[in-house]
Structures are given as C-alpha cells and as structure tokens.
Amino acid sequence: MQAAVAIYLKHLYRFVRSPMEMSATLFLPVLLVGLFGVGMASAVASLPGAGSVFGQGYLAYMAPGAAVLAALSSAVMGGAVLLQERLSGVLRQYLVAPVPRSAILAGTLGGAVTKAVGQALLVLALAAAVGAGWQLRPGPCALALAGLAGFAAGFAGLAAALAARAPSMAAFHGVLTLLNVPLLFASNALYPLAVQPAWLVAFAWLNPVSYVVELLRLALVAGPVELLGPAGDVVVLAVFAAAGLALGVSGSRRWASPA
C-alpha cells in the first residue's frame, strides 16, 4: 500500500511540474470549447428548434464532450508513463525491488485517473467561464463523477495493456491518435443521436464516450436521456472500467520485456 501511494504521488508531482504534459492533454479540448463551442453557439442559436434540441445552448451541450476528451487524453498518458518506464528500464528496477506489480500498476493508474478527472473538471470550469450555464445537483453530479472516474480507469487500463506490448513511444501514440478523434465523433458528444445516421448511432451505443457524456450532460444541463439513463450509464462504465483494468493487469506480466 505504501509503495502504491508513493508511486501515485510521484506521478502527480511530475504532472504538476510539467506544464508541457498538462497543456498537451488540454489543447484540443480547450480548442473545442474556446473556438468551436463559442463560435458555433451563436450560429446554432439561430436555427429553428435549436432550443428544444440543445437546451441551454450549444456551448453547454458540447462542453461535456470536450471534458471527456480531456479525460481520455489524460488517462491514456498513464500508459505512456508505463511505456517510458519500461523502455528506460525503470520498471525492471521496480521488479527487482520488494515492490509488487499490483502496487506499481495501482499507483500509476490511480495517478492517471486523478489527472483525468481533474483535467475534465478544468475544461468544464473553462466552459462555465465563457458562457456555459450549469445546473449543479448533488446526486447527478456524484454519479457523473463516478462514471467519469470509471471511464478514465477503463482507458488507463487499456493504455497500460498497450504499453506492455508497444515497441516504441511513436507506435503507442500512433495507435492512440487513431482512437481519440473517432471516439469523439462516433458518440453523442457534439450532436444528438437523433440527427445521426443509423450506422453511426450503432457505433455510439458501443462507445463508452457516449455514456459518460450523457451522465455529465444529465448532471449539468438536466438532459436529454439518449441512451440508458444515469443508472444504466454507470453500470456500463463500471463494466468498461473492470474490463480495461483486467487488461492492464494482464499486460503487467510483460513488463520485464524491453520490446
């Protein structure tokens, strides 16, 4: 337990001391909120029926999606940290010390989840600062935070599993680059499922991004329900988190391999 806490604090300290890492994970979400969200808000507001579709405005509607993108980017950085430590030999040093693999994984992924949730909240705060109006309610907000943490844990575990097999940092980031944008657009993050073609809706139902976006949207702007509702969304994200973490644990058996 002490080893896991020490590794967790080490990664958080590195993150706080690394403005480049923080800005890299926040760049695209902030761009979405600051340029796309604000720019589209006035254009969407002039469309007939926009109020019934987007509720409190397009900025408030799409900001949860930008926050989830920030969480996703930050969560997978936990895998990048593991890969860097594996390639540099740091993980081997851990393994010859009296530190269990479970503590290494728990500390690293715990740090990734903490950073992911913090980054998402920062994006939501930025959205509020530029005009998104939130209706904060304790119950839905608690569920949304739990779902967000589960979402981050699932992707952190998947990234850890990939880090155990990736031959280089370039290969790792190449795979993740192929995932980030499709996961964002094949969801309910930027536009309602009701206006999407059937094949894209099918992808959205399989996409964990859709469920955490719905939770955040229900907590912050009171709707709409497009998927399973709060309880169902939390269950889906819990299953996703368990599956991702299981893959991360399985991948930890390959840590001693340099490539």
Side-chain angles (χ1 to χ4, degrees):
M1 182 63 179
Q2 289 182 343
V5 172
I7 294 171
Y8 170 81
L9 293 176
K10 181 193 77 170
H11 289 308
L12 288 187
Y13 178 75
R14 281 184 178 178
F15 181 70
V16 172
R17 300 273 296 179
S18 176
M20 184 176 293
E21 180 181 347
M22 187 180 300
S23 60
T25 56
L26 281 175
F27 177 75
L28 182 55
V30 168
L31 196 67
L32 278 173
V33 170
L35 295 182
F36 183 76
V38 173
M40 285 292 292
S42 57
V44 169
S46 63
L47 297 176
S52 61
V53 175
F54 299 111
Q56 294 173 247
Y58 185 71
L59 177 60
Y61 181 88
M62 62 79 60
V68 170
L69 178 61
L72 171 60
S73 300
S74 192
V76 299
M77 285 302 294
V81 169
L82 280 173
L83 176 58
Q84 183 181 28
E85 292 185 340
R86 179 171 72 85
L87 296 176
S88 65
V90 172
L91 279 181
R92 287 193 175 195
Q93 295 175 18
Y94 281 149
L95 294 175
V96 300
V99 179
R101 292 172 190 249
S102 59
I104 303 170
L105 190 65
T108 303
L109 299 190
V113 171
T114 300
K115 290 184 287 186
V117 173
Q119 297 275 69
L121 294 178
L122 189 59
V123 171
L124 292 175
L126 171 65
V130 296
W134 305 133
Q135 298 175 355
L136 302 180
R137 294 166 294 158
C141 284
L143 278 179
L145 281 176
L148 184 62
F151 171 84
F155 272 106
L158 289 174
L162 177 60
R165 294 180 175 272
S168 67
M169 192 66 73
F172 178 86
H173 284 295
V175 172
L176 293 178
T177 300
L178 293 175
L179 290 177
N180 280 6
V181 173
L183 285 174
L184 177 69
F185 283 96
S187 73
N188 57 351
L190 301 179
Y191 27 76
L193 295 182
V195 302
Q196 299 184 33
W199 64 269
L200 197 54
V201 172
F203 276 108
W205 275 87
L206 298 173
N207 186 351
V209 169
S210 301
Y211 296 92
V212 70
V213 166
E214 177 168 90
L215 275 176
L216 286 171
R217 200 168 278 150
L218 289 170
L220 298 173
V221 295
V225 174
E226 295 183 295
L227 297 168
L228 300 178
D233 294 341
V234 169
V235 170
V236 169
L237 292 169
V239 171
F240 173 70
L245 292 174
L247 287 173
V249 170
S250 176
S252 68
R253 302 190 185 105
R254 296 176 55 90
W255 283 351
S257 173

